[in-house]
């Protein structure tokens, strides 16, 4: 296994860990998508109930 492949795998694990900590404040679901706003801000949308918010 090359070093770059190992680093890519580590990056995926970190991203998965961060995503697992997000939950919808409305319904509590962990099914959350990160969305870039028009002005460059970051928003989140719950794919279960449709609630959206900024952090």
């Amino acid at each position: 296994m090359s070093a770059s492949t190992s680093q890519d795998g580590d990056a995926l694990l970190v991203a998965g860990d961060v995503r697992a900590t997000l939950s919808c404040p409305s319904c509590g679901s962990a099914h959350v998508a990160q969305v870039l706003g028009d002005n460059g801000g970051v928003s989140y949308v719950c794919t279960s109930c449709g609630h959206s918010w900024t952090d």
Side-chain angles (χ1 to χ4, degrees):
M1 181 182 278
S2 70
S4 64
T5 303
S6 175
Q7 290 173 347
D8 291 344
D10 291 344
L12 290 175
L13 289 175
V14 170
D17 290 343
V18 170
R19 186 173 295 151
T21 62
L22 290 175
S23 62
C24 175
S26 181
C27 72
S29 173
H31 297 271
V32 175
Q34 185 176 6
V35 182
L36 296 176
D38 291 337
N39 61 357
V42 177
S43 306
Y44 302 95
V45 176
C46 176
T47 58
S48 293
C49 73
H51 178 75
S52 62
W53 70 98
T54 58
D55 192 23

